[in-house]
Amino acid sequence: HDFIAEVFIVTDHVGGAAQWDAGFGTPAPLMGWDEIQALGSAGIRFGSHMASHSHMNALSSRAIVREAVRSRALLERALGTPCISIAAPFGETSDRFVSIAGRCGYEIGVTAEPGFARLGSDPLRLPRIEVVGHGSLEQFANAVREDAGRRCDVRADR
């Protein structure tokens, strides 16, 4: 259906585990570079979820720059394609973070805000429909339909 998946990678933890979720149970294993490269070859796109998965609000601007640049460079080197998208850990998209991401060369930023992007949306603050592991395809389709019906202001008879 012409959809492309975008997966955000915490580059310092590739092949490890999602330790930041340890409070919820056993941390989930994370993909290794071989799996990421294979999926990239199959058409999946990858963006940065920063290098360390730290809280951006707790880092200095200099530390955010270092993480954003390092993560982007690792992804581009591993995949051989430009890395233009970023999603801040914990959905933290302060004005400072968004400004830094843009200055580091990112063109697209995904927030934790649910919904659809619209014409005129800030490309570094795009909302999303989150797909979680326990949802069914039918639940996803319903979420898309419900959101589209609630927010769509384009009428078919125009």
Side-chain angles (χ1 to χ4, degrees):
H1 298 288
D2 254 352
F3 288 110
I4 297 172
E6 180 98 21
V7 178
F8 294 94
I9 302 295
V10 181
T11 53
D12 286 356
H13 296 280
V14 168
Q19 295 299 329
W20 52 88
D21 284 339
F24 302 104
T26 304
L30 300 173
M31 291 184 282
W33 286 115
D34 288 343
E35 188 174 7
I36 292 167
Q37 289 167 329
L39 289 169
S41 294
I44 303 296
R45 283 198 265 202
F46 291 91
S48 171
H49 200 38
M50 300 299 282
S52 70
H53 203 277
S54 298
H55 284 276
M56 296 297 104
N57 297 336
L59 298 179
S60 69
S61 294
R62 182 172 292 186
I64 293 172
V65 168
R66 281 195 301 265
E67 283 220 21
V69 169
R70 183 171 78 236
S71 179
R72 184 173 181 210
L74 284 169
L75 286 163
E76 289 180 345
R77 191 174 323 124
L79 297 167
T81 58
C83 176
I84 62 167
S85 61
I86 191 166
F90 310 104
E92 297 170 352
T93 52
S94 67
D95 290 342
R96 179 176 70 120
F97 176 80
V98 170
S99 175
I100 291 169
R103 289 180 180 175
C104 289
Y106 291 98
E107 299 173 22
I108 299 168
V110 178
T111 71
E113 182 70 28
F116 288 110
R118 303 281 181 235
L119 288 175
S121 292
D122 181 344
L124 285 168
R125 293 181 189 271
L126 297 177
R128 64 179 164 174
I129 298 172
E130 186 175 11
V131 179
V132 293
H134 62 271
S136 69
L137 183 57
E138 183 177 343
Q139 288 170 317
F140 174 73
N142 287 336
V144 171
R145 274 190 223 103
E146 288 170 18
D147 195 52
R150 184 171 57 248
R151 296 186 181 187
C152 185
D153 59 4
V154 177
R155 294 180 16 194
D157 61 348
R158 286 189 189 169

